[in-house]
Amino acid sequence: MQHSTVQGHLTMNLVVSQELTFRIVVDLDYDPADPYAVRFTFHLPGDEPVTWVFARELLLDGLARPSGEGDVHIHPVGGELGEVCLVLRSPDGDAVLHGSAPPLIAFLARTDRLVPMGEEAAAGDLDAQLELILHGHENAG
């Protein structure tokens, strides 16, 4: 079954040290089949792309205030929703990325039009019901 997804692109700065940052392209992806999650795919220079999946709500919260536990932390930088800092923790070390907040806000607004915040369970139930109907119909025939 074909369904809509929300995709976006963003350039972020990977902070290596105070003196050194790399601009990297980040693909954003939201699929209503997994309504609570957003996917960030980082295109690192000379490396395979790396995808991180985390809660859509975490991204939303992190635009306004420090948010996150565990491997993903997001917090605003400065005021006026201008910039956001994303910290990704892995066994290989931490990656600190800075990016412009407006493209993330626009991406979240588009995901909200597809599956409104707070209605993710209903979207998941709908998919489950459709799956049941489709497979139930095949078994009956």
Side-chain angles (χ1 to χ4, degrees):
M1 180 176 81
Q2 183 66 25
H3 58 266
S4 297
T5 61
V6 176
Q7 296 176 326
H9 303 283
L10 159 79
T11 301
M12 295 187 84
N13 290 315
L14 176 63
V15 180
V16 178
S17 68
Q18 279 189 302
E19 299 83 28
L20 183 61
T21 61
F22 290 104
R23 292 176 65 79
I24 61 170
V25 173
V26 182
D27 293 330
L28 310 174
D29 187 52
Y30 176 77
D31 186 341
D34 189 2
Y36 293 99
V38 290
R39 285 170 178 71
F40 277 46
T41 300
F42 302 94
H43 297 274
L44 304 170
D47 243 333
E48 289 294 312
V50 176
T51 299
W52 281 69
V53 180
F54 51 91
R56 175 170 69 153
E57 191 174 351
L58 172 62
L59 178 58
L60 178 67
D61 290 347
L63 291 170
R65 63 184 178 278
S67 301
E69 298 175 5
D71 296 340
V72 180
H73 293 259
I74 304 171
H75 64 266
V77 177
E80 302 299 314
L81 294 176
E83 193 173 327
V84 68
C85 177
L86 177 63
V87 179
L88 305 173
R89 299 204 160 114
S90 77
D92 298 328
D94 294 358
V96 178
L97 299 116
H98 286 234
S100 178
L104 293 172
I105 294 166
F107 173 74
L108 284 171
R110 288 171 37 226
T111 72
D112 191 59
R113 284 196 290 277
L114 199 57
V115 178
M117 288 281 187
E119 294 184 20
E120 294 90 349
D125 290 346
L126 179 62
D127 281 349
Q129 288 170 354
L130 285 171
E131 195 69 26
L132 198 65
I133 291 166
L134 293 172
H135 286 118
H137 183 66
E138 289 171 5
N139 293 340

